[in-house]
Every structure is written in C-alpha cells, then in structure tokens.
Amino acid sequence: MKARIKVTLKNGVLDPQGKAIEGALGALGFSGVESVRQGKFIEVELREQNREKAHAALDEMCRKLLANTVIENYAIELDEK
Amino acid sequence: MKARIKVTLKNGVLDPQGKAIEGALGALGFSGVESVRQGKFIEVELREQNREKAHAALDEMCRKLLANTVIENYAIELDEK
Amino acid sequence: MIRNDVTITPELVAEHGLKPDEYQRILDLIGREPTLTELGIFSAMWNEHCSYKSSKKWLRTLPTTGDRVICGPGENAGVVDIGDGQAIIFKMESHNHPSYIEPHQGAATGVGGILRDVFTMGARPIAALNALRFGEPSHPRTQHIVAGVVAGVGGYGNSFGVPTIGGEVNFDPSYNGNCLVNAFAAGLADTDKIFYSEAKGVGLPLVYLGSKTGRDGIHGATMASAEFDHDTEEKRPTVQIGDPFSEKLLLEACLELMASGAVIAIQDMGAAGLTCSAVEMGAKGGLGVELNLDMVPCRETGMSAYEMMLSESQERMLMVLDPKREKDAEAIFHKWGLDFAVIGKTTDDLRFRVMRHGELMADLPIKDLGDQAPEYDRPWIATPKRNAVAIGDVPAPNDLGETLATMLALPDMCSRRWVWEQYDHLIQGNTAIGPGGDAAVIRIGEGPKALAFTLDVTPRYCAADPVEGGKQAVAECWRNLSAVGAEPLAITDNLNFGNPEKPEIMGQFVGCIQGIGEACRALDFPVVSGNVSLYNETNGKGILPTPAIGAVGLLPDVSQRATVAFKAADETIVLIGETTGHLGQSIYLRDILGRRDEGTAPVVDLAAERLHGNFVRSEIRAGSLTAVHDISDGGIFVALAEMAMAGGMGATLSTPDDLPLHAWGFGEDQGRYLVTLPEKALAHFLGRAEMANVPAICIGQTGGKQLTLGAGTPISLERLTQAHEGWLPNYMAQAVEV
Amino acid sequence: MKSAVIVFPGSNRERDMLYALELITGVKPVAVWHTETTLPDVDLVVLPGGFSYGDYLRTGAIAGRANIMTDVARKAKAGTRIMGVCNGFQILCEAGLLPGVLMRNAQLKFVCKEVGLEVANAKTDFTSKYSEGQVWHCPVAHGDGNYFASPEDLARLEGEGQVVLRYAKGENPNGSLNDIAGIINDRGNVFGMMPHPENMIEPLNGATDGRVLFESVLEAVA
Ligand SMILES: Nc1ncnc2c1ncn2[C@@H]1O[C@H](COP(=O)(O)OP(=O)(O)O)[C@@H](O)[C@H]1O
Ligand SMILES: [Mg+2]
C-alpha cells in the first residue's frame, strides 16, 4: 500500500525557509506572492494491505520519527483502492 | 488563492534522506516498510484570483526556482472554489 | 487578542511564576493592581532567570576585577584586554529547558543567543564551545536528545560561520529529565570600539532591528525557571526556531552600523525579549523609556501588548541611535534585508511606558523593575563530607590493559569525534589546535598572537564536595590552558543546579561558588561574565551540581604551542606533580567497580596548581617539551593513552615502587601533567624542575605500537583506539534526524 | 593575477578565500556583492563557501538565481576562469554552469574533517601543479556534498576527464557518486569542488597542500 504524508509547520512557528523562498520569488520578479510555507512530503510504501492497520502504523511513524510534533503537524493520505 | 506544490525526486535519483528514514523506521521496530522517498511540500498564497493565471505563474515559479528539474518533479494543486 | 484589563487573580499570579509575597511587593511598589501586560513584565523581570534573585548574594562574592579586565559581569559579555588595542569578549549561557523540550531548536537558539551577546558588544565571533550533559545512555530519550542537540549546535554555528572548537559531553542519570546545553562564544574587538547597553540622552530614538516578532517562546523565560513535571508536554508551543541565516545578516549589519558611528547603545533581545532589553537600556542610563508597539515589525497579526512584550522571537536587537544618522543606519539594514523600525524613545522621567493602539498598556517605574526585584538569602545546608576510601579497599583489576580499554570506551571517556566532526571547527582559517586537545587554540588575525579556550567541570566531584569541586573546575580550566602554553586570563561560568528552595541544593550552590571564588583569587583568574540556571529538577530529583567554567588564555606566539600527541619514539615521559593514588570519586571506582559516589573528591592545592602550571607553560614557551597533556578523569593511564592514540605511538611505563599500580595509574590527584622530551634534554629539565620546586619524575619512554603499563600485560594501541573511537558512533548509529 | 570573490547573503567563507587569494597571488582580490550586475575584469572569479540564503529550499538554489549570476554565466561563456568551492560549487550546479547536483550527505550529518583527495586530472588550469594520481590533504566542511548526476552526464564527465578530484579510496565523506569531489566543465574554465583548499595554505593549517591549487591557477594565468 502506498501512503503520502504531509508534514507542515504549526501556525505561528517561524519558517525561515518559507521566508527565504518568498524573498527569492520576489527578487525573480514574481509579484503577488503573499506567503510561502515549506514542509515535507514523504512517500512511504508499506507491505500492509489492511487500510486501518496501515493508517495506525503510519500515525505511529509520524509521531515517533517523521514529524516533530512539537512544531509540526502531519496529515496521512492512503492510496485509494 | 492558496496553492500547494509537491516536489518529489525523479525515479532513479538517489535519495539519501529517504534511505536513512527507511533504516531508522526499521530500527524503531516498524517492519514492512518497503521504501521511503522524501520530498518537499510548499504552500503558496497568491493574490491572483484567476485560476488559470495562478496556475501559469506557479508553473513558472517551479521551473525557475522551486524545483530543480534535473532531479525533481513537481505537481501543483490549487484550492477549490 | 489578549485583553489588558483582566482581573488579576491569585491563579494568574501563580501562573506567572510569582509568589504571593512577590505579588504583594508589586502592589506596594506601584500602589495599584497591575494590568495584565504589567504583570507579564514583572514576571519576566523578576523570574530567577533575569533577576538572579536566589544567586545574586553569592555571585557578589566572586572576584571580577583584574589588570586586564575591561568589563566584568553586568553587560552582555565580559571584556578582557589582550594587548595591542584588542579585546576578547566572551560569555557562556545555558539553554537547558528549551533543549529538553525540542533538542534541535533549543540548542540552536542557545548558540544563537550567546553569539548575539558577543556581537552586540561590537565583537566579531571567533570561537564557539559547548558543554553538554545528557541522561544515561540507556534512557529512552537520551539518543534523540544527543542527536538533536548536536545537530542544533552544529547547524547554527556552521551556518553562522564561527568555528566550534571544543566543549564537554557527559552522561549521567541525574540528567535524564534535564539535559544541560551550555553554549560559550568569544569574539574579537578593538578596545576603543566596544559597545554597551547603557542608553544616553533624552528623546533619542529607540530602534528595533532584525527579524520580525512572533508568538515564539512566550513564557520562555518563566519556563526556564520552573521545575519540570509530567505535564511538560503542555508547555511545548513555546519553542523558538533559530534562523542562523538572519543572525549572520544581523551580525554583518550590526558591525557595519557600529563602524559607521551611528550606535549610541545596543542590547540584544534574549530571554523576555523586548521587556528585558528596553528596561535594561533605560535603567542603566538613568532614563525612562516609551515604546509604541504599533511600530514593532510583527510576523503574525493581532498580537497584543502582552504577547509582544514577552515574545522571545530570535535574531532581534534594540539600539539607541544618533538621530542624525538614522537614515544611514536604515540604509545599512535594508542592504542586509533586515527589518528596521523606530519603536520608541528615551525620556527623562524614569517611567517604562508601553503604548498599543493609542492606549497605555503599562506604566511602571523603570528602575524598580530591576533594582526592586526580590533578592533571597535562601537557607542552605553544607554538603556532608564523604568518607575517604582507603587504597587497600579498592581491588586491582585482573587485566590492567583490558581495564584501560574498557575505561576508554565508557560514555564519559570515549572520543567525542562523532560530535565535533559535525561542527565546522576550521572556518575562518585560524584554528591552530582544534577539538580533541586540552584547550583549543585560535590565531588572532595574521598572528603571531593566539587565544586558547576550554570548558570544564567535574560534576561528581562537585556533588561529593562542592567547595573542592568548584575549585577543581576552575583549576582544570587553568591547567588545560597552561598545557597548550597559554597564559590563563579570565573565566565565565554557567552554574547549573537543582531547586534552590531546597537547603541541600542551595548548599551545593554556595559551596561551589566558594570553591570557584577561592580558586579564582589564588590563580588571578577573574570571573568576567556568567549565567545561572536553577530548577534543573524533574519530579523532585535534581541534577548533579554542574558549575561549568569556560576559560580563555593568551599565547604571545602561536608557534610556541604544545599538543597532546607523542611526536617521536624514545622520548622520555615525565610526570609533573604529586601522586598519592587518590581513588575517591574516580572513574575507576565509579565505572569499573560500580561504586558510585564513594569517597572524597580530590583536593586541589591551589598553590601547587599555580606553581606546576607556570613551570609547564614556561617550558613550553622555551621550546623544551615535545608533548603536553594534563591529567584529569581516569588518571595517568588515561592521559597516557590519549597521548599515544593522538600520536599513533605507544609507550612503556616503569612500575612505581610506593603505590599499587592501579592506584598510581587510575588515581585522580590534581595539579598534574604528563610531558615528553628528548632523552638528552632530560637532566637539564629535571634540574630546572627541582629549582622551581616542582615534583617531576621520569616514568617511561615513548615508542612501539602498544602500551606497556609497568608489570601489566601490554595492550595494543589499535585495540585502545578502536574502543575509544567506537562507542559514540555505535551508540548513535540508530538515531536519525529527519 | 586579478581575482574577484562574490559575496552572497549567508556566504561565510568569503573572508577565508579573500585571505588565501591575497596571500598566494600577492594581489588584493575584489569582493563583489550579489546585487551587482557586472563583475570587474579579472582572471579568476570565485564563489566562496557558506550558506547563501541559509541554504534554504536547496543548497545554492536561491544564490544560483541572484543578479550577479547572469554576468557569471556571460563570463563563463567568454572563457574567464570560474571556481566554486563548497557552497560555490553547489551554486554553479544550481545555475546550470556545471552538470549535476549536490545532495544531502548520505549520513544526513554535517561533516568537518580532513580527507585525502586524489587528482584525477592534472591537466586543468586548477590542478596542473599537482601530479596525476597524487593524493593531497584537504578539509571538508559541508552538509550537502553528495554529488549526483544522471547516468548520461556521469558517463560524459568520466569519459572527457571532467572529474578532476576524487576522495581517496575509503575516504568518501558524503556518498558522492564515483567518489567525486571536484569537476570541471567541458571547456575547462568552470571548476567546482566541495573541499576547502583555502583552509589548507599555511603551516598553521597542518599542511599547505591547498596552496598548490591556487598556484596552478596563477601559473595558468601568467
Ligand atoms: N561538545 C563538544 N564539542 C566540541 N568538542 C568537544 C565537545 N566535548 C568534548 N570535546 C572535545 O573533546 C576533547 C576531550 O574532552 P574532555 O575529556 O572533556 O577534555 P579534558 O579532559 O581535557 O577537559 C576536548 O578537546 C574537548 O574540547
Ligand atoms: Mg585536558
């Protein structure tokens, strides 16, 4: 089963990367960019076929390793099927 | 208008981060992880209200800066509405 | 938005970390109930972290002056004259609690904060060091904290561009719930271009510089003074994120601005950001301050006065500028892409006024915020003396060589290479001795002058005997500097302890300060800056008393420096100092025999310390020694093994006739060094030692690929090196920072 | 020899490079701020080490699109010698002046240590005073030095002798393909390397092996 995990910074947490990208887009002449936030996108391929079990395992992976829950939120998406 | 951009490594491009995460998940006792790939998730807020124009601008941002098309693919998602 | 006119309940007061009698003091001072913003300001100014209310009485006993001291404690960092119109500016600071909650960002912002303290005074940072203490290796959080802290320290310093050249790493169960991250930074400035925080002149603009203000770390300063308990998780959203890129820009912009002559006073925003910096600048200058918060560059919308006054967003500065130069100043900041805003002015009425949306949110007597902070003479009990262990009660190991290998692979004794290879220790191109030696050495400009840096403390000694432990920490620094050939100049301290409201803990604190003071006086080694971190406790259990000392020394000529590595075969190894086989509180007793906290801490004879150090230093400068290493944890055998491993060359030791071999070799008597020199120079050298009244005996020869320890079975260097280098990378192999 | 060092916000080894160039060439190099549009007329343009723009997004990505890079590309085309060290190498790749990309170190950790470098091509303007196969010592200090290129690019680089420096056997600190530490463009005037020769130029540094690289350029220019 394939899963996609989005890890994003919590609201209010400083995002120096996003800020730098915002500045760079401006310098490249893109106007009208109001804000940029950068996160992570992690694709995981699991042997597990049961959706619920897969979700539970992914959730634990996020909490234990993939996301830093002090400053980040995460969202798990499982492949259709 | 809000947009989300996923930047992922092309097939065949080495992904040291993904590999390391894979190893770490194994060490944490998660079995059945077949592969991990890490990419970026960029959220952009634009002043532009026209979907087509927004998409065109985002596409250009990706080609010019947000993705390194030698090694990365990108996908743009615009907010519904 | 948080309202300002809320009723101040006892719960709200308690949440701000203020005790009922402290709140009463506030009511008496201002004659009315404070607004919420005012309560926040008081809580920030009066917490332990900013007010030093439990420690002030004792800190005053430390010697802080000396021929070379330009500025002692009280400013952002201490300033010491190094001749030729140059000064070294340095300080150490803790970021313990934030690092436990979020190791990477906590450590990173700790490094950011200390670098800012140094360049705020006009100095370009030239060296960073860090003293790290973690829980026992088997504790479930330790690996994660080690990985995060090291990546955070490195990540910030590497990007900022300062060489990180030394420090300490220890593991102990007492740090399981409270890791210690003590960051040291030093910078170089011209003595006539040093900047202070004292505001001068009425009606001058107060300028905000750097990154924007967000809701980071609100209550961070209060948090740093509160004990942890099981609801720590709840406190998480207060973490700050470090942005070394902005800090580097801030450094360059500040230095450019200072060179332009526009800066009258400057203060960085550290703990309790805008509050502490604005109050300090005004109060020091005998001036009032008026802030208009509507002008503060904000990252988030709808921030209240309360939040803005307590935010700990990083990479920010406050300055008083010469109004005639405001435009030039603004141009410099815009060149570096940083925010610049006039957010207030100095006044002549000694009030601290804060405006938001045209409303007065706070109006307080500025001097009283600092001067009237509570000060406590906390009750304390002296730490009871431990019983001495007799040498006869300490068994010898079966195999001396194997025991040495085991010892070199202990968490506290193994090589720290895994740590320092993640730190850029070469940037700036002046690193003459990097991490791994006794003290690190950095050349000044194009030389020949150089400075040496070291951080030291032995917490188990401090626990057994705070006074001796305090002395030992200072003495070991002094020794490490002398061992590279540097003249010790001055120290900074970072005093990490448990809850001072407990008399036993306060007793540790008082004892350590007494010991530190005594050693500083005896060695002419003044304290020029420092930091206190109390309440390092979890569920009622305090950390080992850990008064980390950071020290700086001067080498007139960088080419006259000594290193630990053996240089050639058939050289003579000489032991300097008295050896009694003191095994109390030794690594041998604690870790090989598992007898934790047994025996007395070794006594430091400060007169002997001084004599031996001066002798070794003068011999280094005369060029008579080929290698030098001080003897500390693990005694003669460990020091010898370190010299051998560094030089890739073995040694053979003779057997002492007055002490059992294991007591002689693993004992931790103080004030000692191992040195090597060509055999033909030996007689003269011993003669000079005798003249100087310095005990010196020849204990062996260099050569070969193994260590032969008297009558013990020889052990190969390769085996020792593998053991020494292997532990930390193996331990950390599973830890990944995503 | 006249040289220029480009300074980006976040560059942090520019002072080391300026010092090394002046010490070895005897001529004070010009520091050029990234917002400039034209480079001075010099024999060598250097992009120094550091964390330009915090290395945010991708290392070298934002700097690779800075104002001054347009003129760097023009000068490269005109044959001026251009050298990127560490972050400078990353920037040259991101700007498309060198093939490939520098990814995160395989161990995911920053690494600062001395490594052996083997000269794979001693016929370039940057390595002519070394001998082919010679191993010299040089520090590395980077978090993203893991060189990657498409199989076609890699084959071309190897086939045309464009791999100039390799980490000595067993000393690859970052997982780089084919142990690549430094490469040159097909024309031989744009050179990038991860290690820091500018920190290996005087006895204080432990050795002076890095000096030879600068001396090679000096000789090529003369
Ligand atoms: N956190 C650290 N960062 C950099 N270097 C470190 C760190 N911890 C230890 N080191 C270095 O490792 C070496 C050994 O440390 P230590 O045993 O504490 O030295 P000593 O006994 O001489 O005080 C020293 O050179 C020290 O600077
Ligand atoms: Mg030492």
Side-chain angles (χ1 to χ4, degrees):
Chain A
M1 173 147 341
K2 264 204 170 166
R4 281 168 305 282
I5 299 165
K6 289 178 204 163
V7 182
T8 50
L9 282 174
K10 287 186 178 168
N11 270 335
V13 172
L14 176 75
D15 178 12
Q17 303 226 42
K19 210 175 63 178
I21 298 171
E22 212 176 292
L25 287 173
L28 283 174
F30 292 102
S31 58
V33 176
E34 304 211 306
S35 88
V36 178
R37 304 274 289 170
Q38 175 167 334
K40 276 174 248 161
F41 182 72
I42 303 172
E43 296 168 291
V44 183
E45 203 155 337
L46 289 176
R47 243 191 320 274
E48 183 61 64
Q49 288 305 322
N50 176 304
R51 284 180 69 83
E52 253 157 60
K53 283 195 192 154
H55 198 281
L58 288 162
D59 195 72
E60 206 186 331
M61 289 178 202
C62 285
R63 278 180 294 113
K64 284 213 175 144
L65 180 71
L66 303 180
N68 179 348
T69 51
V70 180
I71 49 173
E72 293 170 331
N73 292 321
Y74 61 88
I76 300 168
E77 246 177 61
L78 281 174
D79 248 9
E80 300 302 306
K81 209 179 33 165
Chain B
M1 171 146 345
K2 266 198 169 169
R4 282 168 303 281
I5 299 164
K6 290 179 203 162
V7 180
T8 50
L9 283 174
K10 287 187 174 165
N11 272 337
V13 174
L14 172 91
D15 177 13
Q17 241 149 305
K19 269 271 163 314
I21 296 173
E22 217 174 288
L25 287 174
L28 283 173
F30 293 102
S31 57
V33 177
E34 303 209 309
S35 86
V36 179
R37 304 276 289 170
Q38 176 166 333
K40 282 181 215 121
F41 183 71
I42 304 173
E43 295 168 291
V44 182
E45 206 158 331
L46 289 176
R47 244 192 318 274
E48 183 60 64
Q49 289 303 324
N50 178 304
R51 285 179 69 82
E52 254 156 59
K53 282 192 192 156
H55 198 283
L58 288 162
D59 195 71
E60 204 186 334
M61 290 179 202
C62 285
R63 278 181 293 111
K64 284 212 174 144
L65 178 72
L66 301 179
N68 179 340
T69 50
V70 177
I71 48 165
E72 293 170 330
N73 292 321
Y74 61 90
I76 300 167
E77 245 177 61
L78 280 174
D79 247 8
E80 301 300 307
K81 207 180 35 165
Chain C
M1 191 184 294
I2 299 175
R3 292 175 46 199
N4 199 38
D5 57 351
V6 295
T7 319
I8 308 294
T9 60
E11 293 74 43
L12 199 55
V13 171
E15 269 173 40
H16 281 77
L18 292 160
K19 300 273 154 69
D21 56 322
E22 293 175 338
Y23 183 62
Q24 187 56 48
R25 198 182 174 95
I26 295 175
L27 294 177
D28 294 346
L29 267 179
I30 66 174
R32 60 176 165 82
E33 187 169 281
T35 65
L36 181 66
T37 304
E38 290 175 335
L39 185 70
I41 292 172
F42 271 109
S43 82
M45 292 299 300
W46 285 13
N47 73 32
E48 191 66 59
H49 191 77
C50 292
S51 72
Y52 290 87
K53 59 190 171 193
S54 303
S55 57
K56 230 192 256 173
K57 170 182 157 71
W58 296 100
L59 293 178
R60 276 197 283 266
T61 67
L62 293 171
T64 59
T65 53
D67 293 347
R68 289 183 178 272
V69 178
I70 295 177
C71 172
E75 277 292 332
N76 284 303
V79 183
V80 175
D81 196 331
I82 57 167
D84 309 311
Q86 292 173 309
I88 185 75
I89 301 189
F90 63 96
K91 185 174 191 274
M92 177 153 51
E93 195 156 272
S94 64
H95 229 211
N96 303 335
H97 293 66
S99 300
Y100 188 76
I101 292 168
E102 211 308 280
H104 189 126
Q105 295 301 333
T109 50
V111 172
I114 195 67
L115 287 168
R116 225 152 37 241
D117 274 332
V118 163
F119 71 76
T120 302
M121 300 196 70
R124 181 174 283 278
I126 58 164
L129 291 88
N130 55 106
L132 311 177
R133 298 202 149 81
F134 304 109
E136 59 195 324
S138 60
H139 188 273
R141 265 182 75 77
T142 300
Q143 232 177 35
H144 166 72
I145 294 179
V146 174
V149 164
V150 171
V153 168
Y156 206 99
N158 298 345
S159 176
F160 178 82
V162 64
T164 303
I165 49 170
E168 294 185 281
V169 179
N170 279 169
F171 297 85
D172 189 89
S174 79
Y175 306 112
N176 280 353
N178 294 81
C179 62
L180 302 185
V181 174
N182 296 171
F184 169 104
L188 199 63
D190 290 340
T191 48
D192 59 352
K193 294 194 196 78
I194 293 165
F195 289 81
Y196 297 97
S197 58
E198 176 188 331
K200 292 190 198 103
V202 174
L204 295 188
L206 217 60
V207 175
Y208 172 114
L209 308 159
S211 299
K212 292 186 183 0
T213 298
R215 291 189 173 91
D216 321 75
I218 292 177
H219 272 156
T222 318
M223 173 178 84
S225 305
E227 265 182 58
F228 277 173
D229 46 38
H230 286 305
D231 69 357
T232 312
E233 309 282 310
E234 293 306 312
K235 298 188 178 128
R236 284 185 159 182
T238 58
V239 243
Q240 315 133 37
I241 306 288
D243 179 5
F245 170 58
S246 291
E247 177 116 324
K248 169 75 159 111
L249 303 180
L250 193 59
L251 162 78
E252 299 298 345
C254 283
L255 294 184
E256 198 172 323
L257 201 59
M258 287 164 167
S260 80
V263 179
I264 293 176
I266 175 166
Q267 171 73 30
D268 74 303
M269 294 192 221
L274 198 48
T275 296
C276 276
S277 54
V279 169
E280 268 180 48
M281 291 182 84
K284 274 200 183 135
L287 296 168
V289 164
E290 195 174 300
L291 297 180
N292 177 5
L293 297 184
D294 300 348
M295 306 307 290
V296 171
C298 283
R299 199 171 79 226
E300 298 176 64
T301 52
M303 286 190 69
S304 66
Y306 176 89
E307 291 170 313
M308 289 162 89
M309 292 310 292
L310 295 187
S311 162
E312 294 193 342
S313 290
Q314 301 288 297
E315 293 91 23
R316 302 181 300 162
M317 293 271 184
L318 202 58
M319 291 188 185
V320 177
L321 285 186
D322 179 348
K324 294 191 292 290
R325 314 295 297 275
E326 211 179 293
K327 281 279 156 293
D328 309 342
E330 195 170 348
I332 291 174
F333 266 74
H334 286 155
K335 167 184 164 195
W336 290 98
L338 294 163
D339 272 296
F340 176 102
V342 176
I343 62 161
K345 60 170 192 273
T346 55
T347 66
D348 62 0
D349 64 1
L350 288 174
R351 302 295 294 180
F352 183 53
R353 270 192 222 94
V354 176
M355 309 290 295
R356 177 76 169 141
H357 300 317
E359 267 179 69
L360 187 62
M361 308 304 276
D363 184 357
L364 298 168
I366 201 164
K367 285 260 189 197
D368 294 349
L369 281 170
D371 297 350
Q372 291 302 315
E375 188 179 324
Y376 297 116
D377 182 0
R378 300 220 185 259
W380 59 279
I381 306 173
T383 306
K385 291 264 180 240
R386 306 287 197 269
N387 294 324
V389 271
I391 291 179
D393 292 338
V394 181
N398 289 332
D399 183 328
L400 208 57
E402 278 306 315
T403 302
L404 180 57
T406 306
M407 194 178 277
L408 290 171
L410 290 169
D412 273 357
M413 303 294 288
C414 66
S415 164
R416 272 69 177 111
R417 185 183 306 278
W418 183 90
V419 175
W420 79 63
E421 281 190 350
Q422 294 184 59
Y423 300 158
D424 191 338
H425 48 267
L426 299 170
I427 189 160
Q428 298 184 7
N430 289 317
T431 307
I433 301 180
D438 283 332
V441 174
I442 296 285
R443 177 181 61 182
I444 299 307
E446 287 165 34
K449 232 164 44 177
L451 289 166
F453 302 90
T454 182
L455 302 187
D456 289 288
V457 61
T458 312
R460 64 180 189 282
Y461 296 169
C462 296
D465 188 334
V467 179
E468 285 307 321
K471 279 161 64 178
Q472 196 274 343
V474 175
E476 189 172 345
C477 278
W478 201 81
R479 209 180 296 151
N480 277 322
L481 296 176
S482 300
V484 297
E487 170 201 348
L489 295 179
I491 68 166
T492 178
D493 64 56
N494 200 148
L495 309 174
N496 309 275
F497 290 82
N499 181 351
E501 293 163 41
K502 295 181 182 166
E504 319 79 70
I505 302 284
M506 199 58 206
Q508 293 177 339
F509 183 78
V510 171
C512 284
I513 294 234
Q514 286 171 343
I516 292 170
E518 203 180 311
C520 288
R521 278 184 291 272
L523 299 170
D524 287 326
F525 208 20
V527 181
V528 296
S529 57
N531 175 250
V532 179
S533 169
L534 300 175
Y535 297 96
N536 291 290
E537 293 211 6
T538 298
N539 297 328
K541 260 200 86 214
I543 56 163
L544 289 178
T546 313
I549 305 294
V552 179
L554 180 65
L555 291 92
D557 183 348
V558 69
S559 67
Q560 294 169 346
R561 63 183 187 271
T563 59
V564 302
F566 284 154
K567 305 294 182 309
D570 303 319
E571 291 199 327
T572 305
I573 306 167
V574 176
L575 168 64
I576 307 278
E578 211 76 63
T579 298
T580 70
H582 186 99
L583 287 166
Q585 302 295 337
S586 66
I587 292 289
Y588 182 72
L589 202 59
R590 186 189 74 176
D591 292 336
I592 301 297
L593 300 181
R595 288 158 64 176
R596 195 181 155 88
D597 195 15
E598 234 190 87
T600 56
V603 170
V604 181
D605 176 343
L606 293 164
E609 193 72 56
R610 195 177 167 121
L611 190 67
H612 304 173
N614 288 345
F615 176 71
V616 169
R617 187 181 325 107
S618 67
E619 290 294 323
I620 294 172
R621 291 189 178 177
S624 59
L625 303 178
T626 48
V628 179
H629 193 10
D630 76 308
I631 299 175
S632 55
D633 288 334
I636 294 173
F637 288 157
V638 165
L640 183 83
E642 287 170 348
M643 297 174 86
M645 291 185 293
M649 181 180 299
T652 304
L653 291 195
S654 44
T655 306
D657 43 22
D658 49 345
L659 284 170
L661 189 54
H662 69 290
W664 181 81
F666 289 126
E668 297 182 4
D669 296 290
Q670 299 294 300
R672 298 183 300 163
Y673 302 78
L674 287 182
V675 304
T676 60
L677 64 170
E679 206 185 327
K680 61 178 195 308
L682 182 65
H684 276 112
F685 174 78
L686 293 178
R688 289 195 299 275
E690 199 180 330
M691 290 272 292
N693 249 322
V694 172
I697 54 163
C698 187
I699 62 162
Q701 257 75 44
T702 60
K705 291 287 171 196
Q706 57 187 26
L707 282 190
T708 308
L709 307 172
T713 339
I715 181 148
S716 80
L717 213 51
E718 197 188 329
R719 165 106 177 71
L720 292 178
T721 305
Q722 265 174 11
H724 189 55
E725 294 293 343
W727 189 82
L728 198 47
N730 287 339
Y731 173 64
M732 293 306 295
Q734 306 297 345
V736 164
E737 279 262 298
V738 175
Chain D
M1 181 179 102
K2 287 185 289 180
S3 58
V5 175
I6 304 180
V7 185
F8 299 94
S11 293
N12 66 20
R13 260 188 171 85
E14 79 280 12
R15 294 158 68 89
D16 304 33
M17 187 57 80
L18 291 164
Y19 173 74
L21 286 168
E22 182 168 356
L23 188 77
I24 298 164
T25 68
V27 183
K28 212 178 173 64
V30 194
V32 181
W33 185 235
H34 69 114
T35 51
E36 300 286 316
T37 47
T38 43
L39 286 158
D41 190 20
V42 291
D43 306 302
L44 175 71
V45 176
V46 182
L47 288 80
F51 287 70
S52 56
Y53 296 93
D55 265 357
Y56 297 143
L57 187 64
R58 295 180 307 277
T59 55
I62 299 178
R65 289 145 183 89
N67 251 347
I68 192 73
M69 291 308 291
T70 315
D71 202 44
V72 172
R74 201 175 304 133
K75 287 266 188 326
K77 224 169 166 183
T80 305
R81 289 174 195 84
I82 309 219
M83 172 163 97
V85 168
C86 198
N87 195 220
F89 184 15
Q90 296 160 342
I91 295 169
L92 288 175
C93 288
E94 273 286 344
L97 294 173
L98 286 173
V101 54
L102 291 141
M103 307 192 59
R104 195 149 174 217
N105 292 350
Q107 308 82 335
L108 302 193
K109 287 198 289 283
F110 188 94
V111 57
C112 175
K113 66 175 181 189
E114 205 174 293
V115 297
L117 291 180
E118 190 187 316
V119 179
N121 180 352
K123 292 192 236 12
T124 78
D125 287 355
F126 301 86
T127 50
S128 61
K129 292 185 72 105
Y130 296 102
S131 48
E132 199 117 341
Q134 179 187 345
V135 173
W136 54 287
H137 290 272
C138 192
V140 293
H142 59 246
D144 301 75
N146 188 345
Y147 184 78
F148 177 87
S150 66
E152 307 79 63
D153 279 344
L154 198 62
R156 194 169 330 113
L157 286 173
E158 291 288 4
E160 303 296 322
Q162 287 173 246
V163 175
V164 178
L165 296 170
R166 283 186 219 276
Y167 300 109
K169 207 171 160 53
E171 294 196 54
N172 184 336
N174 52 36
S176 271
L177 281 180
N178 296 8
D179 297 325
I180 288 174
I183 59 170
I184 201 158
N185 66 347
D186 46 10
R187 187 168 165 181
N189 68 321
V190 180
F191 170 65
M193 66 184 287
M194 281 314 294
H196 290 284
E198 76 277 23
N199 286 145
M200 206 56 165
I201 52 169
E202 37 185 353
L204 183 92
N205 307 137
T208 56
D209 299 12
R211 225 184 152 100
V212 181
L213 189 137
F214 295 95
E215 285 164 351
S216 301
V217 187
L218 205 53
E219 193 178 73
V221 166

